[in-house]
Amino acid sequence: MSHEQPSRPLEVSCPQCHAKVLWVEDNLYRPFCSKRCKLLDLGAWADESHRIAGESAMDETEIDEMILRAERGQQE
């Protein structure tokens, strides 16, 4: 005889304002508490206030130079 307890939804902190948020399907803005917090976070990514740590990506000129060096090495 198994007694299943009703599971409680996960509660997380809003990444923007740190308010408690229930992780439920009805919350359209999860993990954020509101549309406002979601848009503030998006704006921070857009103006590059938020960044993912790591090496910066090469731009097109660096890639072109690398290809030219590789081609020269193959021709010599």
Side-chain angles (χ1 to χ4, degrees), residues 2-72:
S2 134
H3 295 284
E4 290 185 26
Q5 294 181 3
S7 61
R8 294 178 48 193
L10 178 65
E11 190 175 90
V12 298
S13 292
C14 173
Q16 189 65 36
C17 72
H18 307 289
K20 295 296 179 190
V21 179
L22 292 179
W23 191 275
V24 292
E25 206 170 304
D26 294 344
N27 180 358
L28 300 176
Y29 307 112
R30 70 177 180 235
F32 301 97
C33 66
S34 65
K35 185 175 183 177
R36 177 185 179 275
C37 280
K38 187 175 183 176
L39 290 174
L40 286 171
D41 186 75
L42 178 62
W45 283 102
D47 75 6
E48 298 182 357
S49 296
H50 290 328
R51 295 191 181 108
I52 296 174
E55 294 181 28
S56 58
M58 286 195 279
D59 65 17
E60 289 182 32
T61 57
E62 290 174 335
I63 293 171
D64 292 341
E65 289 171 10
M66 186 175 69
I67 291 170
L68 286 173
R69 281 194 305 268
E71 288 174 349
R72 281 189 221 125

